[in-house]
Amino acid sequence: QVQLVESGGGLVQAGGSLRLSCAASGRISSINAMGWYRQAPGKQRELVASIINGGSTNYADSVKGRFTISRDNAKNTVYLQMNSLKPEDTVVYYCYCNANTYYGTGTYWGQGTQVTVSS
């Protein structure tokens, strides 16, 4: 199994910055992709940013130019640097990891971390 531990959420004023971290651990052979989704109450979970092997990244249009995703392969950790935060970024952020383990390939999720941006 793979466990994901998130950190870095919190309360910030509009225009401020936060950095989310997500560390994967467990019986991991290799990681194919890591990233972040977010979900507002009553809405579907949406992709915020992802990074795959080789370093290619993908961002939601709403965060392009403001958020940056990066990964430390040695630590199996993904980061989301969030700048110029807006009140509409207030939501729970979930880390995910698509990994190869002894049991096969699977997608694993973190417990979620709340980001609150005050106006």
Side-chain angles (χ1 to χ4, degrees):
Q1 289 289 354
V2 176
Q3 297 81 39
L4 299 179
V5 177
E6 302 164 350
S7 61
L11 173 65
V12 66
Q13 288 189 334
S17 298
L18 284 174
R19 188 192 195 208
L20 305 183
S21 300
C22 174
S25 62
R27 294 180 173 266
I28 299 171
S29 299
S30 60
I31 293 178
N32 302 312
M34 296 187 77
W36 298 88
Y37 277 72
R38 64 187 182 185
Q39 186 170 24
K43 295 188 177 181
Q44 286 189 329
R45 193 171 290 191
E46 64 169 352
L47 177 68
V48 178
S50 63
I51 184 166
I52 64 174
N53 280 344
S56 294
T57 58
N58 185 41
Y59 295 93
D61 288 342
S62 58
V63 307
K64 283 180 181 177
R66 300 189 299 122
F67 291 9
T68 302
I69 190 169
S70 60
R71 181 176 151 186
D72 185 331
N73 292 329
K75 296 181 179 180
N76 286 341
T77 299
V78 65
Y79 306 95
L80 186 68
Q81 178 66 42
M82 304 186 294
N83 299 329
S84 302
L85 282 161
K86 304 175 181 180
E88 51 263 43
D89 295 319
T90 296
V91 74
V92 178
Y93 288 73
Y94 295 91
C95 171
Y96 82 94
C97 171
N98 183 272
N100 303 312
T101 70
Y102 174 81
Y103 302 102
T105 301
T107 298
Y108 304 89
W109 293 90
Q111 76 282 5
T113 186
Q114 176 71 45
V115 170
T116 302
V117 183
S118 63
S119 56

